[in-house]
Structure formats: C-alpha cells, structure tokens
Amino acid sequence: MNKKLIEVKNLKKWFYIGKSIAGKREALRAVDDVSFFINHKEVLGLVGESGCGKTTCGKMILRIIDPTSGSIFFGDEEITHLNKYEMQHFRRKMMIIYQDPFGSLDPRMRIGKIISEPLEVHRIGIPKEREDRVTELMEKVGLSPDQINRYPHEFSGGQRQRIGIARALATNPEFIVADESVSALDVSIQAQIINLLKGLQEEFGLTLLFVAHDLSVVKHISDRVAVMYLGKIVEMAEKNSIFSDPKHPYTQALLSAIPIPDPKQKKKQDIIMGDVPSPVNPPKGCRFHTRCPRVMDICKEEEPPLKEIKPNYYVACHLYDKTTV
C-alpha cells in the first residue's frame, strides 16, 4: 500500500470581502471543505474551470496562504498552524512552479542567481557546491551552462519555464505544486515542458500536484485526477477510470469538450448551459445543479458528500445514492 505524503482534510479558504446591504459579513468561498491525499511519488491532477479554487488549494498546502479552517499533513506531521520559523524545516521539501514563467522570475537577477537562491536561503552547501548544483540543474532541464549569466528577458517563454523548474528542483524537494505550469506556453512548447516534468518526476521520485484546466495535458502526466467545481471536489479517481467512464455530469461535460484531432470523426458534446454561480453566494444543495442536465429535486436541497462508490473512486453526486456502480 502506498504511503501518503500529502493529505488535506476539510480544507477551507474564505476571503472576506466586506458586508452586504443587510450588514452581513460576506465571504468569497474559494475553497470550501475539500479533502484529498497524494501518495509518495504520485502525480495528482487537479482540474476544473478558472476560479474553481485549484490554485488556492495548492498555495494552502505550501502555506503560501493560510487556510480558514481544516488540516494539512506532510507525511505524519500536521503543518496547518506552524509559524514561519517552524515551517522553515518543510520549505525546502515543498516547492512551486508558477504559471507565468516571466512574472515569477526577478528581471534584475541573472539566472544562475535565481536558481541558486533557494540553496542560499536554506544554507545548503558552500558557494562552489551551489555553483556546481546550478550547472547540473541547467543541464537537467535542457539549458546550457553557458547561459548562466543571462537575464530572464533574454530567454523564450519555454526556456524561462525551464529556469523555474530548475529553481524548484534546487533543494531536492519531495513535493512540488505545478500551478498551470504550461498554460502560458505555445502548444508545441507545452509538450516539451510536460515531457520534461514527467521525466524529472520519474527520475527524482517526486510527488506532484499538477494544477491545470487542460484535460489532455492532465491525462498525459497524472496518475490520479481530482475534478473541482466552485470550491468543491466533485470526482476523484485513477486517471484511466475517469477518462474512460466519468461518473459526475460535470466531468462528463468537460471530457466531451476535448477536441478530436481527426476532422472526419464526429463526437457528441455535452454542453453545459448557464454561467458558473458566484462563490460569494453559491447555490443551495449541489453547486452544479443550476447547470446540470440530470438535476433532481434532491440536488436543489441537499449537498451530496464526496463518497467512495467503488474502490478508490469518489463522486459527489446524488445519482449514485442508491445505485451500485
């Protein structure tokens, strides 16, 4: 049985934005009672529409932002309420690759300094060892050590993302959050970066939370997939199970929207009607019921829990309350 490296329980993040006309305090419920785990050396793909809370989940696990409530475990240790000094021990084990490969790099720093900065912060090695580590990492991610003294603006988008990956690997972390790490890149470059990440993950035995909205990318790199909608996880299972036979109507619609490269092949597409409700005032009951083609009366009144309908397959949907899948 695989051992869990990351586990979150009932995680919430509400951003308080002021008061309503009635004087009641209002909150944007970015993440609202989410629970999941990631095993050692596993890649969990976290997918959903923009604004569903994917990035917020990743940043809470790394304690870049603090949760409103809930628990975060790294291995056997709960890190939810550790202060910045107590978190220092875990910082070198947990890294992030940001979405914007240019905005995440200091334009005034040479890339050798950018990649070595985590080593300096965590006081790892002497200057010569750090220099050797930077050279090694640049070669690992497909950059030439001859470029070590260049600035970020002298590189293409794909090269800048390789710099970000090298920086994330500097301290030999166990866990990395890849936050939409290819969405800002051209399609041809996306494939290169995904293959690079997949190769590095296997080589170093990394555990990854891969945040994305592109399901075809997620299918290529992930072991398991969790689907989010409006701050909630609605489905979570092994990659092949979800892509071959999705259970939740939202997941079914997302997968039906993946284009087929053959123009002669026709595909039935499930169109999701309406707009995503406001996370400030989410619908009562199931949050997807306002757009669901299979909505029932119970969906409008009771929120479905995320439950295991078969081994390692979790769905939050009333369609499976009384049926065996």
Side-chain angles (χ1 to χ4, degrees), residues 13 34 60 94 109 129 135 142 158 168 193 218 287 294-295:
K13 183 58 183 180
V34 162
M60 279 194 288
M94 309 163 74
M109 291 173 63
E129 291 172 334
T135 300
I193 298 300
V218 169
R287 296 190 175 184
R294 303 174 68 183
V295 62

Side-chain angles (χ1 to χ4, degrees), residues 100-108 111 114 152 160-161 163-164 167:
D100 183 357
F102 189 67
S104 63
L105 304 178
D106 190 333
R108 299 165 298 179
I111 67 161
I114 289 172
R160 286 194 288 263
Q161 196 59 288
I163 296 167
R167 178 178 59 184

Side-chain angles (χ1 to χ4, degrees), residues 4 98 154 218 223 231 238 249 257 288:
K4 298 173 184 176
Y98 288 98
E154 298 180 75
V218 169
D223 298 306
E238 297 292 326
F288 187 58

Side-chain angles (χ1 to χ4, degrees), residues 8 15 17 22 24 40 47 65-66 71 107 122 130 149 186 265 279 285 295 304 307 311 315:
V8 301
F15 294 97
I17 57 176
K24 184 178 179 181
H40 275 274
V47 302
I65 58 176
D66 292 326
S71 302
H122 293 284
R130 294 170 189 166
N149 289 317
D186 293 337
Q265 187 176 349
V295 62
K307 61 183 180 181
V315 181

Side-chain angles (χ1 to χ4, degrees), residues 106-125:
D106 190 333
R108 299 165 298 179
M109 291 173 63
R110 300 178 192 272
I111 67 161
K113 178 71 172 176
I114 289 172
I115 297 172
S116 67
E117 189 175 28
L119 300 173
E120 295 172 12
V121 168
H122 293 284
R123 299 176 183 175
I124 299 172

Side-chain angles (χ1 to χ4, degrees), residues 18-26:
K19 294 184 178 180
S20 65
I21 297 175
K24 184 178 179 181
R25 196 179 185 193
E26 288 190 322

